[in-house]
Structure formats: C-alpha cells, structure tokens
Amino acid sequence: EEVVGEFVELKKTGANYKGLCPFHQDNNPSFVVSPSKNICKCFVCGAGGNAIKFYSEYKKISFAESVEELAKKYGISIKGVKSNRIDEHKEHYEIMEEAHDYFVQEIFKNSAREALEYLSKRKINPKLIKENAIGYASSSWNSLYDHLIIKGYSKEKILELGLAKEGEKGIYDTFRNRIIFPIYSISGKIIAFGGRSLEDSKDIPKYINSQETPIFSKGKSLYGFTQKGSNIKKKNYLRNLN
C-alpha cells in the first residue's frame, strides 16, 4: 500500500484499496491493492504483482534496480543483489554527477554574470536555477576536463562521455560559455547535458546536447521526464504546447 500509494491515489474499500490503474488509461478505478496478500492487480489490463514488480514496471527499471532503490528508500539492508547494468556504468554515472556538481558551482560565480543576466531576462530567478539544478560552463578551454582529471577520472572515460574532445590543439571541453541543463534518466541519474550558448555568432550552434554515450541514447530519452514526471500520471494529463 505504501509503495503503490506513492504513485497512485488509493481509497480504502473494505479490506483492500482501489485507485486508477497507472498502466492504462483508466477512468473507473480498477487497480486493487491487497495489504493482506501483499499484491496489487488491475482487473482491466491485468498489470500487477508484488511491490517490487509494481515499482519495476512503473519506473521502467530492472528488478534488481527496483530492489536496490526500495531497500535504500525504506532503510532495508540487502546483500548479494546488484544491478549488472548499474555496476557496469557506475563510473560513468559518477563522472556525470561530478561534472554536474562542477557546473552548478560555477553558475553563481562572478564569471557567470552574463549567464545569470540572460536567465533573469527569461524570468528564471535564483530559486528556479537551484530547483532545476541549472549550471554554467565557463569559456575556459579545458577547465572541466582538468577538474575531472584531478578528481582521478580517466581521460578515456571523460572523452567517451563527450564531456571533452581531442583536437589538433589538444583536449578541450565540449561545453564552453554555455548555460547547462542536466538531462536525467527515468530513474533520476544524470546521463547527459544540454547547453545554451551565450555567444551571438552564426558559426556557433545556439544549443548543443551531449553525444551518444554508453549511458545516453537520444532516441530513448525525453528531456524533463524524470522522477518528477510522475506528476503527469498523478494528475492524469499532459499538456500539448504545440
């Protein structure tokens, strides 16, 4: 009941709880949670199972990832259960998190004054900047790359994630003099960045995104649809802005 109730508005009906099914367009509550049996089921589309299976299907992550996330959320100690996909890319995620922390720290420095002025003109105040973890990449040639190297990460992994590139003049940061927007996976991990240029030049793309990497596929990621995106399912609508 507690796990499902985070994502589905439940109402008690006898010994069970009912709500709108999150796995199909449901207008008449057909999703039933049975606390005594520790299972849930939709009597229209058939979706359901135990808490772990529900969490896995709702978040679109593996069973092992669901076990890890739920254990962490509810303070349960587990042993021997690891997600191979997360283990395989553990360092990739760490590097992206470190890069994001670096960008976020840069946004309120004096060198980012132009970025803050631009955001202010777009009605994005410091509170919104912090809430959305917006960052700034300075115009420095390779400050992010140097920062990550000092932190102990390998040149190969940094290049593989598209945070830096290697050219005739050496290694340089991919994002320079840009406002940085983090791009998250469905499970809330940072997998890429989008950058808005502060330079007014036809020779420089106004917007660029991270390249395809082992953890980022442009065709499989939707910007802004993170864990916060669960509000879409709670409110049961998505506004079309076209």
Side-chain angles (χ1 to χ4, degrees), residues 7 22 58 186 222-239:
F7 309 102
Y58 186 90
I186 195 75
L222 179 62
Y223 178 75
F225 194 78
T226 66
Q227 288 173 315
K228 294 180 181 179
S230 61
N231 287 327
I232 291 172
K233 292 187 177 181
K234 285 182 180 179
K235 295 182 179 180
N236 201 33
Y237 73 86
L238 181 66
R239 180 175 294 170

Side-chain angles (χ1 to χ4, degrees), residues 94-153:
E94 287 180 358
I95 294 172
M96 295 301 287
E97 191 70 38
E98 183 63 42
H100 181 235
D101 288 344
Y102 178 82
F103 289 139
V104 167
Q105 289 172 15
E106 292 288 308
I107 191 70
F108 290 113
K109 291 184 178 180
N110 287 333
S111 57
R113 186 176 300 172
E114 185 182 357
L116 292 174
E117 288 176 354
Y118 170 81
L119 290 170
S120 178
K121 290 178 182 177
R122 301 298 300 268
K123 309 300 181 184
I124 300 175
N125 58 36
K127 182 182 177 183
L128 284 174
I129 292 173
K130 292 177 181 178
E131 286 179 353
N132 293 279
I134 298 172
Y136 171 69
S138 73
S139 56
S140 172
W141 183 251
N142 58 1
S143 58
L144 173 64
Y145 174 77
D146 287 346
H147 172 79
L148 294 174
I149 289 294
I150 290 172
K151 287 289 183 177
Y153 298 112

Side-chain angles (χ1 to χ4, degrees), residues 183-198:
I183 298 173
Y184 298 89
S185 69
I186 195 75
S187 60
K189 290 181 173 58
I190 294 174
I191 53 175
F193 296 108
R196 202 283 184 191
S197 177
L198 292 170

Side-chain angles (χ1 to χ4, degrees), residues 48-190:
N50 61 23
I52 299 172
K53 185 178 180 184
F54 169 85
Y55 193 85
S56 171
E57 292 185 353
Y58 186 90
K59 299 292 286 292
K60 291 181 171 56
I61 57 178
S62 71
F63 182 88
E65 287 176 289
S66 299
V67 171
E68 290 181 59
E69 287 191 14
L70 287 171
K72 184 178 180 181
K73 181 177 291 189
Y74 292 101
I76 301 170
S77 177
I78 57 173
K79 293 182 179 179
V81 181
K82 291 290 182 182
S83 165
N84 291 331
R85 188 168 66 87
I86 282 186
D87 283 349
E88 180 186 354
H89 298 303
K90 182 179 179 181
E91 190 174 5
H92 287 130
Y93 291 123
E94 287 180 358
I95 294 172
M96 295 301 287
E97 191 70 38
E98 183 63 42
H100 181 235
D101 288 344
Y102 178 82
F103 289 139
V104 167
Q105 289 172 15
E106 292 288 308
I107 191 70
F108 290 113
K109 291 184 178 180
N110 287 333
S111 57
R113 186 176 300 172
E114 185 182 357
L116 292 174
E117 288 176 354
Y118 170 81
L119 290 170
S120 178
K121 290 178 182 177
R122 301 298 300 268
K123 309 300 181 184
I124 300 175
N125 58 36
K127 182 182 177 183
L128 284 174
I129 292 173
K130 292 177 181 178
E131 286 179 353
N132 293 279
I134 298 172
Y136 171 69
S138 73
S139 56
S140 172
W141 183 251
N142 58 1
S143 58
L144 173 64
Y145 174 77
D146 287 346
H147 172 79
L148 294 174
I149 289 294
I150 290 172
K151 287 289 183 177
Y153 298 112
S154 70
K155 164 188 169 182
E156 290 71 27
K157 282 281 190 350
I158 297 169
L159 295 177
E160 187 177 28
L161 287 168
L163 296 172
K165 297 180 180 180
E166 192 165 17
E168 295 180 358
K169 296 182 180 180
I171 295 175
Y172 60 94
D173 291 342
T174 300
F175 298 96
R176 285 175 290 135
N177 199 22
R178 291 179 181 273
I179 296 170
I180 300 296
F181 302 90
I183 298 173
Y184 298 89
S185 69
I186 195 75
S187 60
K189 290 181 173 58
I190 294 174

